[in-house]
Amino acid sequence: MTTTSPSSCGQSDQNLFSALRARFPALLDSAAVETDQGLVYSWRDLERATAMMANLLTSLDLPAGARIAVQVEKSVEAMMLYLATLRAGYVFLPLNTAYKSTEVDYFVQNAQPSVVVCSAADFGWVSKIAFKNGVQHVFTLNDDRTGSWLERAAQCSDQHTPVARKADDLAAILYTSGTTGRSKGAMLSHGNLLSNTQVLHDYWSWRADDVLIHALPIFHVHGLFVALHGALFNGSKMIWLAKFDAKTVLRHLPQATVFMGVPTLYVRMLAEPALTPALARHMRLFVSGSAPMLLETFVAWRERTGHTILERYGMSETVMLTSNPCQPDARFGAQGAQRRGGTVGFPLPGVSLRVRGEHGRDCDVDEIGGIEVKGPNVFSGYWRMPEKTAEEFTSDGFFRTGDVGKVDADGFVTIVGRSKDLIISGGYNVYPAEIESFLNDLPGVAESAVVGVAHPDFGEVGVAVVIPKAGAQLDPASIIGNLKSRLANFKIPKHCVVTAELPRNAMGKVQKNLLREQFRTLFQADA
Ligand code: MLC
Ligand code: AMP
């Protein structure tokens, strides 16, 4: 079945920064961002600092389309660096701060950025990687408003005219791990990001008095685009938390109206006795996404706060695709359709979504198949990987999400699984194939399999099953220790077992379903 909602936004050929800047409030001296450190930044501060940073980028005389790779802790200045990159017409490449040198080396080799910005603490190893790969400029930016990036920007003019961009000009590259081989850089244009921002602005009924609690990292779609663009495009103040902490968020709820998080954040807030309807009474909207939300979390949240979480679904390659209704949906008569737990709602305006069966046709209502999407928000392809891009798009231009789902008679989309071998842990993607390739390279390892199992905090976590070579003695703790030195911490399996063999089917293929079943209850409280 194919579902298309009418589009509410037209083509735009302008720089995303200009579109966001045009929506700043008239009172430029009012507060735009308040941090948990007690700092207040006005809209004028955002305007001036991004101008100075954009002028610094321009002064570097970079080639057109230059990538600016950034691996720094969350700060308002890091957010300004993102906006300045858009403003100057270059391409932003955010990197998770958890990535280790092996991972960063790959991204720098693959993306060939002209500028790398890292924290001073990481300058030694990051600059080595950068210079080895021909990067001309390496700056530091710390989360305490220090670093060479700010020192240099402070010497630049605070007047800057945003560089005109066309809708299909590249704005950002987001690396997403691959089911086979290494990560792929999803190329997102100014048009992809702006159209999605406009659609979400209308669909989520942003109000003049909205205040957003921004508690997500700013190196992935959820925190960098959905939350940040939502607030900026609405001219809304943000309460800016450097890191998620349940108690800190709850303390700020009475001053806010909108919160966005991955399911783990809701699970952690539910564990706080301070969470009550009274505390949440000023709130207008709680959004969840990036990973499946358990129905029990959805129900518990409603019982504890009186608010119904709005679940939405998206990807790095597509930004947001579907959303439960914010307002009752008029297509369903006087009462309208309400948010339904366990579903990700309807395709957003302008998004065509279809579910394709193995028979190659559109599925019927409630029939399960692969989710395919098309729309102004869908990326143009993977950075310098035309074959991978071609594999993921159908001949009629739909992107194969790798998610498996169904659409019910009312049009609600439900995700029931994934055809890609992927674990989503606390909202971060972990590809077993990547972990297995590191495991298989360890001395004494014959082969390995990594599977995702349910976890009460992270939703899902990895379990590694490792088979030793004949005569080799392997110790699970040293295997984990070895991985920790080479891979981002969230990718590290939470449990490792060394055993004689992997279960295989008649074709010799590893039966991961049997392993998942074997470890299904490993992290359950009563297991
Ligand atoms: C931290 N750890 C994790 C983890 N985060 N393990 C598995 N999965 C995770 N997500 C581990 C660390 O390795 C460490 O283990 C221990 O937990 C404590 O680390 P920490 O850094 O102190 O963790 P914490 O601050 O509590 O972080 C947890 C979290 C964070 C849930 C707040 O993971 C987070 O911010 N997640 C949000 C991710 C996100 O923004 N996703 C959006 C992707 S965009 P050890 O052993 O080293 O002590 C996308 C598209 C879309 O998917 O639709 O939005
Ligand atoms: P990423 O590659 O990090 O952008 O992750 C995108 C993937 O996250 C999607 O392909 C889905 O598998 C998953 N995802 C995002 N939102 C949801 C959601 N609300 N429910 C279930 N899965 C989700």
Side-chain angles (χ1 to χ4, degrees), residues 174 215-223 226 243-245 262 264-265 268 289-291 312-316 319-320 424-430 457-458 460-461 484 488-492 494:
L174 265 73
L216 287 162
I218 53 169
F219 33 67
H220 291 299
V221 160
H222 202 159
V226 187
K243 212 171 176 315
F244 171 79
D245 170 71
V262 301
T264 298
L265 308 197
R268 292 188 181 184
S290 309
R312 88 322 175 261
Y313 156 57
M315 293 182 77
S316 303
V319 213
M320 294 303 101
I424 304 186
S425 187
Y428 287 139
N429 287 7
V430 181
D457 184 28
F458 294 121
E460 216 179 355
V461 295
K484 276 192 173 179
N489 58 9
F490 63 87
K491 296 182 187 171
I492 308 301
K494 299 279 188 243

Side-chain angles (χ1 to χ4, degrees), residues 414-447:
T414 301
I415 297 172
V416 300
R418 302 169 204 131
S419 58
K420 49 196 175 192
D421 190 10
L422 163 69
I423 300 166
I424 304 186
S425 187
Y428 287 139
N429 287 7
V430 181
Y431 279 88
E434 185 187 10
I435 318 302
E436 288 159 6
S437 79
F438 276 86
L439 286 169
N440 296 346
D441 281 348
L442 295 179
V445 173
E447 58 176 342

Side-chain angles (χ1 to χ4, degrees), residues 27 40 78 126 170 203 230 271 290-291 314 446 471 493-494:
L27 278 177
V40 180
V126 174
L170 202 51
Y203 204 75
S290 309
K494 299 279 188 243

